[in-house]
Amino acid sequence: MSDLSSSRRGQGSCRRCGTSYHNRWKPALCQNCGFEIGGKVSAKPKTTPIPQAVRITENLYSVRKLRTGPDHRCFVEIRGEHKICMFKQCLDKRNLFVCQGDGESFSCEHTELCNSEVPFGEKFFLTRDKIGAIPLDTNTKKDLFDLSESLEGNTSTKRPSVVKVSDRTFAVASSSTFEFVHMNNIGSKSFLCFETECKPKSGSVGKTTGKRKSTCIHSHCLVATLGDSQLPEAAVAETTPSIVTRSKARHASIRCLRSRVLFPSDLKALLKKCQELEAVPTPGGVDLPAEFNYTGSSCHLCGSPLSSAKPHQGTDGTARLMTHRHPFWPVRASVRRCLQERCGAIHQCQPMESGIPLFNLGNKLFVTLEFFVDWRHLLKRGTPLSTAIAAKLETLMLRTPSAHKPSVNELAYIERQLSNGYWGFEVLSERDEVQSICGFCGTCPEILIGDGNEKNCCSSRQIEYAQTNQQSPSTSTSQSTTSSEGPFTTDTVIDSSDSSNTALGSIRDPLTEAVESQLLERVVFARNASHLSVASEEVLPFMNGKVGSCLINTEFKKSTAAIKHIPGDPNRMMDLIKSDQFIVSQLDKYSDAELNSLCRSCSLPSSGQSSVVKQNHLQKLYDSILHGYCPCHDYTNTPGQTGGYYHMVCRHGVIYGSKILTRRESVRDAVDLFLSMKYPPIMFVCDSPCSFSRHLELRDKELAVTFWGDQRGCFEKPVSTKPPAQDVNFPEILPGEFAIEPIHLVPEALLEPNQHPVSGMKRRFIVGDRFHTANNPHKSPLCTYHNIDNCLQGVAYKTSYAESQNNVRNVKRLRSSCAQSFETHFMYNRLMDIYHNEDIVRKQMNIQSAKNAQDLRRGAYMRLVSGPAP
């Protein structure tokens, strides 16, 4: 039985007075009582009639497939005395007539429209000047020049490149299959091409994947022919202003929330306020109001006046209070909107500003902060967030009166909002970045252990990879000077001066801001309008602002083909490069005899090979070093998933840097993190030390010479004629707890570039961890020079910290969520790094406080010291 209050089909009604309106032209305010309905205030736009048929050339027509509906069209071609419709269904029908020998009598509704007088469409022509005026790559411009020449042909009359069929549809010249193709305007200067090779493909389940041909020559032809001034903006302008305004208002509302709310880091004081809140018997007083209204009169961002209080758009002003004592309690809530057109920020009541420990979620839920603190501790221990929320709701439902119990659908909505609210709570929580720095190592650790984890990944659907590979770094690398592949010449470098003591307390980058804004948008608005897409080059490492000097990401320069198995000996190639016997920029100038010698030296096949094949072998081996391929250690990743997660930890287990891998892991990722450090460690332990040193030497020759000269990160110069020494002595890398003499740190003001504060040296060592060395022996005898046990002081270090952390993270993450979106994956790993570090530092301080009667403080390089500050 239908509800008597429901509206008729196609019509809605005001919730306050019942005045009806048409859903297609939904007004912003009720015309009778002024209640906010949430539609658009605009008259029905005037539309130009779409022509049923338009003549493109003397022998070609563009005809609508259907007389009504979207402007989807087909072509009708004149061949002699016959008109042939190119619509597939019509061609199939005509085939039956042709098989019966009666093809002349066939006609369809499309050919009949061409029997009468049909006007020509407006014609536009492509010239070489127009092609040269738009910024395109060389290959695309060449294709356009070829198309322009084909349009000129051998006749005196040049064919048009574009014919305007309607306000939103164009016929564009094609050189592939048919004479013209149709293109529809689907947005501001955005077009959908109906050529088979350019149309979006369908996925395995019948859904559109959105993937198209990498280069649609027809769209470039259309833009080049019409230019910006003649592109159809008017057709879009009728529908886009409200969207643009709404988008600006959303961003302004998110900024307003960030500027007003910051949850304190002192959880004891916060939980004490929550306990006082639970003592209030009934909502309605000052301590716990029954109505939540924003009391300010001016915008928090721009100072402009605000509108009067009204319910949030699309609601009737009803919300629910969520506390232990008052679960699902109905309350009232309203918002105020900034009247400045360029701002439009929504101002919601945030009880924390009045000292009430409640978090407003979309003006629909007011939740006690005690819930979020509980879920934080459960998430840290591997409990799925959805499980923690569902268990809490089930418990609250048992104590809720029947009159206040939500319906099944409303309960599911509340569960989603609480999940969104938790991530918003974490974004807005205050944190002290100093509490994430190891108290013993400070900002200048002597040793860091790095390891990757391919299991800690997420779907790559939200990652946008470059359609074409970046120019091979090898083509621009100089052997005599510092490589242009150096760490400080990439476009994806964020300096530590951009760091601010914000909620997450680390170096800020655009991606972090985008992810946090996406999560906060779900808190402010019940509906999330935006979809997060991430370019692979934007995924920068996570690093504390006091530890890192910059954030470096060169992962977008990886080539999938270059980090697979490549034949040859990279060690021998590096010897040839360092002795200038092989210069990649002169590869095409080597004689066949020289190529044979180079291939034999690098263990590459040369017998019976042409010069081009030999050059290709040498180029691939060179690229494999530059892209980070390791012949001694295979890296894998799951198809359709990101490459995993890489992190560096100190010998006390504190994470100093981590990185979400968008592609398959390689040593390039470890080098990025290593160079992002303000003080790179004296010793770096990883699973591919040989490839690490080769890659850095090729990527930044001068820096590698500064770090280890000709010793490639080993304790001595590796040579193939003798095994490495087993008793090398380097007391500078001895841990402080085993040192006899006190460690004197070099003052920061006296430090030279690349000098380490602990050792006072610029020397660095790259060694392998014992786990991978024992289970995956290296291929080359020179790799044994990277064994940490070659040094007498190496026995003082354990090298399994990073491997252990990966195992712990896998266990927790797989229990908490097996299928994470990118923003959840991003926030989860970042928060888990912070929680992990804070727990270790808290234990360090407790141990030192028990041993030292004097107060602990952070001294030079953020290391823990006791006693009063100087």
Side-chain angles (χ1 to χ4, degrees):
M1 182 176 181
S2 61
D3 190 355
L4 295 177
S5 63
S6 62
S7 61
R8 291 178 296 173
R9 183 174 181 179
Q11 293 187 1
S13 60
C14 176
R15 295 187 179 184
R16 179 178 293 175
C17 66
T19 302
S20 61
Y21 55 84
H22 290 283
N23 290 333
R24 190 172 185 179
W25 308 110
K26 187 176 181 180
L29 303 175
C30 177
Q31 298 179 359
N32 183 36
C33 65
F35 181 74
E36 183 174 3
I37 298 176
K40 296 184 297 183
V41 181
S42 62
K44 184 176 180 179
K46 297 180 180 180
T47 57
T48 304
I50 301 175
Q52 297 295 325
V54 174
R55 199 161 189 172
I56 306 299
T57 63
E58 293 292 340
N59 301 320
L60 191 65
Y61 296 83
S62 173
V63 185
R64 292 190 72 182
K65 293 181 180 179
L66 300 175
R67 293 181 180 271
T68 60
D71 189 17
H72 294 168
R73 311 182 76 89
C74 63
F75 290 106
V76 174
E77 185 179 0
I78 300 177
R79 295 181 182 177
E81 298 180 356
H82 304 286
K83 292 183 176 70
I84 302 177
C85 177
M86 296 300 170
F87 188 35
K88 186 179 185 303
Q89 296 180 5
C90 298
L91 286 174
D92 293 339
K93 293 178 181 178
R94 184 177 184 275
N95 185 38
L96 296 176
F97 282 78
V98 173
C99 292
Q100 298 173 4
D102 194 20
E104 298 179 357
S105 64
F106 175 78
S107 65
C108 64
E109 57 178 333
H110 308 118
T111 57
E112 291 176 356
L113 288 173
C114 301
N115 292 331
S116 59
E117 188 69 23
V118 178
F120 279 92
E122 185 178 0
K123 300 179 181 180
F124 301 89
F125 298 89
L126 182 64
T127 64
R128 299 184 68 88
D129 293 339
K130 290 182 178 180
I131 299 174
I134 60 176
L136 292 173
D137 59 273
T138 304
N139 293 332
T140 305
K141 284 192 175 183
K142 182 180 180 301
D143 293 339
L144 288 178
F145 284 133
D146 293 342
L147 177 61
S148 178
E149 293 177 0
S150 66
L151 293 175
E152 294 179 359
N154 299 323
T155 61
S156 58
T157 305
K158 182 177 181 179
R159 290 187 298 151
S161 59
V162 175
V163 177
K164 186 176 181 180
V165 176
S166 66
D167 287 343
R168 297 195 181 189
T169 306
F170 296 84
V172 183
S174 175
S175 59
S176 56
T177 56
F178 196 65
E179 192 175 358
F180 282 87
V181 297
H182 283 121
M183 295 194 69
N184 277 9
N185 175 234
I186 57 174
S188 178
K189 300 180 182 179
S190 298
F191 299 90
L192 177 63
C193 180
F194 285 88
E195 171 69 20
T196 303
E197 296 182 356
C198 303
K199 287 172 63 177
K201 303 299 187 295
S202 296
S204 58
V205 293
K207 296 183 179 180
T208 300
T209 62
K211 296 183 179 179
R212 305 183 184 182
K213 189 178 179 181
S214 59
T215 302
C216 176
I217 191 64
H218 312 109
S219 60
H220 292 309
C221 177
L222 179 63
V223 173
T225 304
L226 299 183
D228 290 340
S229 60
Q230 299 185 53
L231 288 177
E233 295 282 4
V236 186
E238 297 170 353
T239 58
T240 56
S242 60
I243 298 176
V244 175
T245 303
R246 186 163 63 249
S247 176
K248 290 182 178 179
R250 280 178 172 261
H251 289 300
S253 303
I254 294 170
R255 294 199 309 272
C256 181
L257 174 64
R258 300 193 71 145
S259 63
R260 293 171 52 201
V261 179
L262 184 63
F263 298 116
S265 58
D266 186 0
L267 295 182
K268 291 184 179 180
L270 185 65
L271 293 177
K272 184 178 180 181
K273 289 185 178 181
C274 293
Q275 186 178 4
E276 295 173 355
L277 181 68
E278 297 292 344
V280 178
T282 305
V286 178
D287 296 332
L288 184 58
E291 292 190 10
F292 295 90
N293 304 313
Y294 184 73
T295 57
S297 59
S298 60
C299 177
H300 196 78
L301 295 179
C302 65
S304 302
L306 302 178
S307 66
S308 58
K310 59 182 66 175
H312 202 293
Q313 180 177 336
T315 69
D316 58 358
T318 303
R320 288 185 181 273
L321 180 66
M322 298 287 292
T323 65
H324 285 105
R325 185 168 185 174
H326 308 291
F328 307 106
W329 192 280
V331 294
R332 301 286 300 177
S334 62
V335 299
R336 291 190 172 190
R337 185 186 298 272
C338 177
L339 298 178
Q340 172 61 253
E341 183 179 358
R342 296 182 178 180
C343 180
I346 295 177
H347 291 64
Q348 300 172 337
C349 175
Q350 290 295 341
M352 274 298 295
E353 294 181 309
S354 304
I356 303 175
L358 294 174
F359 191 17
N360 183 352
L361 305 183
N363 244 41
K364 296 291 291 183
L365 297 174
F366 290 84
V367 188
T368 175
L369 298 182
E370 186 176 356
F371 288 178
F372 299 116
V373 175
D374 290 342
W375 296 334
R376 172 188 290 178
H377 290 292
L378 290 172
L379 187 68
K380 288 165 59 175
R381 285 156 180 78
T383 303
L385 180 61
S386 57
T387 301
I389 294 175
K392 176 66 71 174
L393 292 179
E394 289 180 5
T395 304
L396 295 178
M397 286 287 286
L398 296 176
R399 65 175 69 174
T400 304
S402 300
H404 295 166
K405 284 187 176 181
S407 63
V408 175
N409 292 336
E410 189 177 2
L411 190 64
Y413 170 79
I414 291 174
E415 185 173 347
R416 290 194 302 271
Q417 284 298 97
L418 290 175
S419 178
N420 295 334
Y422 172 77
W423 296 115
F425 168 77
E426 292 290 5
V427 170
L428 297 174
S429 293
E430 182 183 22
R431 289 182 176 87
D432 185 3
E433 60 181 355
V434 175
Q435 298 305 314
S436 296
I437 301 175
C438 178
F440 301 143
C441 296
T443 58
C444 55
E446 300 97 323
I447 179 174
L448 289 180
I449 303 99
D451 191 35
N453 181 9
E454 72 277 2
K455 296 180 182 179
N456 189 357
C457 58
C458 69
S459 173
S460 59
R461 287 178 298 177
Q462 294 175 255
I463 308 294
E464 294 181 353
Y465 299 95
Q467 294 292 336
T468 56
N469 290 333
Q470 297 286 335
Q471 181 184 7
S472 176
S474 61
T475 60
S476 59
T477 303
S478 173
Q479 303 298 325
S480 58
T481 60
T482 302
S483 168
S484 62
E485 180 69 4
F488 301 103
T489 59
T490 65
D491 294 332
T492 50
V493 174
I494 302 296
D495 192 82
S496 62
S497 59
D498 296 334
S499 174
S500 57
N501 192 12
T502 54
L504 287 179
S506 57
I507 303 178
R508 311 298 292 173
D509 62 271
L511 178 59
T512 302
E513 299 289 346
V515 171
E516 292 180 2
S517 297
Q518 178 84 0
L519 297 174
L520 290 180
E521 184 179 1
R522 300 174 184 175
V523 173
V524 180
F525 300 96
R527 292 182 179 180
N528 184 24
S530 61
H531 173 75
L532 183 66
S533 296
V534 181
S536 59
E537 60 268 21
E538 296 177 352
V539 185
L540 300 179
F542 301 148
M543 190 166 287
N544 193 301
K546 296 185 181 299
V547 170
S549 61
C550 58
L551 297 182
I552 300 174
N553 176 31
T554 62
E555 192 181 6
F556 66 98
K557 294 186 177 182
K558 285 182 187 175
S559 171
T560 305
I563 56 178
K564 295 181 180 179
H565 175 69
I566 302 294
D569 188 347
N571 283 313
R572 290 293 300 133
M573 173 165 277
M574 283 305 304
D575 290 337
L576 296 175
I577 291 174
K578 295 177 72 173
S579 61
D580 291 334
Q581 297 180 48
F582 174 67
I583 301 176
V584 71
S585 59
Q586 300 179 10
L587 184 59
D588 56 346
K589 299 179 182 179
Y590 287 117
S591 64
D592 189 66
E594 291 173 324
L595 291 174
N596 284 332
S597 176
L598 290 173
C599 288
R600 285 194 298 269
S601 299
C602 297
S603 301
L604 290 169
S606 60
S607 178
Q609 306 282 350
S610 66
S611 297
V612 175
V613 174
K614 297 171 190 174
Q615 292 173 358
N616 189 34
H617 286 328
L618 291 168
Q619 181 70 59
K620 285 185 176 180
L621 182 58
Y622 179 91
D623 288 342
S624 70
I625 302 174
L626 193 57
H627 288 281
Y629 168 70
C630 178
C632 302
H633 184 75
D634 292 331
Y635 298 106
T636 60
N637 71 305
T638 305
Q641 303 290 315
T642 54
Y645 196 73
Y646 196 96
H647 69 304
M648 301 187 307
V649 302
C650 72
R651 56 195 174 91
H652 305 103
V654 175
I655 300 174
Y656 270 76
S658 54
K659 182 181 180 183
I660 293 176
L661 308 181
T662 59
R663 292 176 170 86
R664 183 183 301 174
E665 180 188 348
S666 76
V667 296
R668 179 178 281 271
D669 306 304
V671 174
D672 284 348
L673 285 175
F674 183 83
L675 296 179
S676 296
M677 295 282 296
K678 184 181 296 185
Y679 307 111
I682 304 172
M683 180 185 294
F684 182 69
V685 182
C686 61
D687 50 14
S688 305
C690 46
S691 299
F692 183 103
S693 59
R694 286 195 300 265
H695 173 76
L696 184 56
E697 287 178 353
L698 200 60
R699 177 167 159 178
D700 197 329
K701 182 178 179 180
E702 290 185 359
L703 185 62
V705 170
T706 302
F707 280 163
W708 50 70
D710 60 352
Q711 298 188 1
R712 296 189 183 176
C714 304
F715 300 109
E716 57 180 319
K717 182 178 179 180
V719 292
S720 58
T721 56
K722 69 179 185 70
Q726 302 293 321
D727 54 354
V728 182
N729 183 26
F730 278 99
E732 295 85 0
I733 65 174
L734 186 68
E737 56 266 31
F738 296 107
I740 299 176
E741 300 293 333
I743 297 177
H744 299 286
L745 300 177
V746 180
E748 189 170 3
L750 302 179
L751 274 179
E752 298 179 6
N754 299 315
Q755 185 181 10
H756 197 276
V758 177
S759 65
M761 304 186 307
K762 298 181 181 180
R763 180 79 180 274
R764 300 294 192 274
F765 303 97
I766 311 298
V767 298
D769 64 271
R770 296 186 179 92
F771 175 81
H772 288 94
T773 301
N775 291 277
N776 299 298
H778 291 268
K779 305 296 189 295
S780 172
L782 296 180
C783 298
T784 57
Y785 281 84
H786 291 277
N787 194 327
I788 189 174
D789 293 326
N790 293 341
C791 180
L792 294 176
Q793 288 75 21
V795 296
Y797 292 102
K798 296 180 180 179
T799 63
S800 59
Y801 294 106
E803 194 76 27
S804 300
Q805 290 300 329
N806 278 336
N807 182 60
V808 172
R809 180 71 59 88
N810 284 340
V811 172
K812 290 184 177 180
R813 181 181 176 276
L814 293 177
R815 287 190 310 193
S816 61
S817 178
C818 293
Q820 294 177 334
S821 63
F822 179 82
E823 52 267 34
T824 303
H825 181 70
F826 182 94
M827 282 297 298
Y828 175 82
N829 281 288
R830 187 162 198 172
L831 290 173
M832 292 299 283
D833 285 355
I834 295 174
Y835 297 152
H836 172 79
N837 290 352
E838 288 178 345
D839 289 342
I840 293 178
V841 174
R842 190 180 302 111
K843 293 177 182 178
Q844 290 177 348
M845 298 189 70
N846 291 339
I847 293 174
Q848 294 301 315
S849 297
K851 294 180 179 180
N852 298 281
Q854 298 177 332
D855 294 335
L856 289 176
R857 60 178 178 85
R858 295 277 181 169
Y861 300 100
M862 293 295 165
R863 294 193 171 194
L864 285 177
V865 295
S866 60

